[in-house]
Amino acid sequence: MTAVANTASAETVRPPHQGRPWALLGSGPFRNLWVATTLSLLGDFFSYVAIAWLVLQLTGSSLALGSVLVVQAVPRGVLMLVGGAISDRFSPRVTMLASMGLRVALVAPLAVLVLAGRVQMWEVYGISFVFGVVDAFFMPARSSILPRLVADHELEAGNAVLNVSSQVSIVVGPALAGVVVALAGTGWAFAADAACFAVGALFVLWLPRAARIGADPTSPEPGLRGQIMAGFRYAWADIGIRATLIIIAAVDFGANGALGVGLPTLAHGRYGAGAAGLGLLLGAWGVGATAGALAGGMVRRPERIGWWLVAVCAWLGATIGAVGLIPTLAPAAVVLAIGGISSGAVNTFGISWLQRRTDPAMQGRVMSLVMLASLGLVPISYALSGAIADVNPTALFLAAGGLMLA
């Protein structure tokens, strides 16, 4: 961490995009990446809404829907490290192109089957599995390509723009997909998904080529397995990266359970506000996260990232714990918005710090470890949180906040 701190403190010139991160859209390569990733996010939401509605139409079973989502989640988690290693070996650009092309090649025929009324559940399970595989390769590549396209001092601005776009897509994507499904049916929603990824792949194709990085000469084991193990060793040997991965795993374990299970429980039970109340709570968190991500691209990056992470964990822990104690809806939404600010800021500053800290040859593997730390424990978090919330929702929020503080 010393080298990073020295670099930050030695910075005497204000970065050209500090204070106006959107100015980075004037860069052709970054603009292409921004368009491609935004289209991919919209496509993801089209497919999510379409699959959920299609399964319920075909079976009327929530259990079937849950099993389809599990079929998608398993390969995404299992293959995430493989996707990171492939991204490092063949370049993020090539990995993104291949995964987006595969998605288009399979989703387009599915759209035709749905429009023709000939789709069957085994095909839905198959396409859901492919989605998980594609995500496992696409996500590490998308996260590791930014340092190849922008200057070092532009990382915060670039991540801020991408994170804000992601937050906006979370709001716009499902709403737009819902309108398409309601007006035209699930088949056209799948067609829109394929179109988003097809157009997005063109923008990835226009990204500059990068030098291909082969197998690590220091790896004692040749091939893909050796590269994955080299990524583990690299991340564990760097105390800053190791500590950050542990923090991500702990914080997201608590946050995913509190937000995914705890908020619906509070909205339905304590507040009696139903789906509208849940939407308000989640929306407040999203607004805060968007503000935090944008602020991360407009202010000077922290010089002492370790102490800054301590402050972020304390901020998140205090706000999440407080939500469990608040008796009414409106104040809870305000506190969630305040907590979301720190979440958005860490997605800008924290990821930028990791990208800057990581050797270029290890970017894909380190980013895959970040995502595995963030998403890998979600099923356990949901199961444990459900058990706690069933007994006492307040205890769930206090436990989640306490974990973050710890």
Side-chain angles (χ1 to χ4, degrees):
M1 296 172 81
T2 305
V4 178
N6 288 342
T7 300
S9 60
E11 224 174 42
T12 56
V13 179
R14 177 186 171 112
H17 296 298
Q18 186 176 307
R20 47 187 186 92
W22 49 87
L24 197 55
L25 291 170
S27 163
F30 178 79
R31 186 170 58 250
N32 289 338
L33 175 64
W34 174 72
V35 173
T37 55
T38 301
L39 287 172
S40 73
L41 287 168
L42 291 175
D44 284 340
F45 286 116
F46 270 105
S47 66
Y48 175 78
V49 173
I51 282 183
W53 196 250
L54 178 62
V55 170
L56 292 176
Q57 283 181 322
L58 292 175
T59 68
S61 170
S62 297
L63 180 61
L65 175 58
S67 65
V68 167
L69 296 178
V70 168
V71 166
Q72 181 175 342
V74 169
R76 182 171 55 210
V78 170
L79 297 176
M80 189 72 75
L81 298 179
V82 178
I86 290 293
S87 176
D88 285 337
R89 175 177 285 191
F90 295 103
S91 87
R93 175 180 175 273
V94 171
T95 307
M96 291 173 69
L97 276 174
S99 58
M100 295 174 84
L102 176 62
R103 179 146 176 165
V104 173
L106 293 173
V107 175
L110 178 66
V112 174
L113 288 174
V114 175
L115 289 171
R118 300 178 61 181
V119 68
Q120 301 178 47
M121 274 302 295
W122 72 266
E123 293 161 333
V124 177
Y125 279 109
I127 201 70
S128 186
F129 179 84
V130 172
F131 282 172
V133 174
V134 168
D135 285 347
F137 287 82
F138 182 79
M139 292 169 68
R142 180 179 63 191
S143 297
S144 63
I145 197 172
L146 183 63
R148 299 173 182 240
L149 301 179
V150 301
D152 180 85
H153 63 266
E154 295 174 326
L155 283 174
E156 282 79 14
N159 279 308
V161 173
L162 294 177
N163 290 333
V164 169
S165 299
S166 176
Q167 292 295 330
V168 172
S169 297
I170 290 173
V171 177
V172 175
L176 189 58
V179 170
V180 172
V181 169
L183 296 180
T186 54
W188 286 109
F190 283 118
D193 174 24
C196 284
F197 275 87
V199 176
L202 291 177
F203 283 89
V204 174
L205 187 63
W206 294 332
L207 292 175
R209 296 176 182 270
R212 175 176 165 178
I213 301 173
D216 304 301
T218 58
S219 174
E221 301 178 50
L224 192 61
R225 184 173 182 272
Q227 285 191 291
I228 293 174
M229 295 308 298
F232 270 115
R233 286 191 295 271
Y234 174 83
W236 188 256
D238 187 304
I239 187 172
I241 296 176
R242 182 174 73 216
T244 303
L245 289 174
I246 293 172
I247 291 169
I248 290 171
V251 169
D252 282 1
F253 184 88
N256 285 324
L259 298 178
V261 177
L263 288 187
T265 303
L266 292 182
H268 175 73
R270 178 181 299 177
Y271 304 142
L278 177 59
L280 175 63
L281 294 172
L282 292 174
W285 178 267
V287 169
T290 302
L294 185 59
M298 299 177 70
V299 301
R300 193 183 191 89
R301 68 174 184 251
E303 296 183 7
R304 300 290 298 277
I305 193 69
W307 284 110
W308 183 82
L309 281 175
V310 169
V312 166
C313 290
W315 187 334
L316 278 170
T319 52
I320 291 294
V323 169
L325 300 172
I326 296 175
T328 54
L329 178 65
V334 172
V335 172
L336 278 170
I338 294 171
I341 293 173
S342 59
S343 172
V346 80
N347 283 334
T348 295
F349 284 132
I351 294 301
S352 299
W353 181 85
L354 278 171
Q355 290 168 334
R356 188 175 286 116
R357 175 96 170 191
T358 304
D359 186 285
M362 291 286 180
Q363 286 282 349
R365 280 163 284 185
V366 170
M367 287 301 110
S368 68
L369 287 170
V370 169
M371 292 172 191
L372 193 62
S374 177
L375 302 175
L377 297 176
V378 166
I380 301 174
S381 174
Y382 281 173
L384 183 59
S385 298
I388 297 174
D390 194 49
V391 177
N392 189 338
T394 298
L396 169 60
F397 284 89
L398 292 177
L403 179 60
M404 297 173 191
L405 289 169

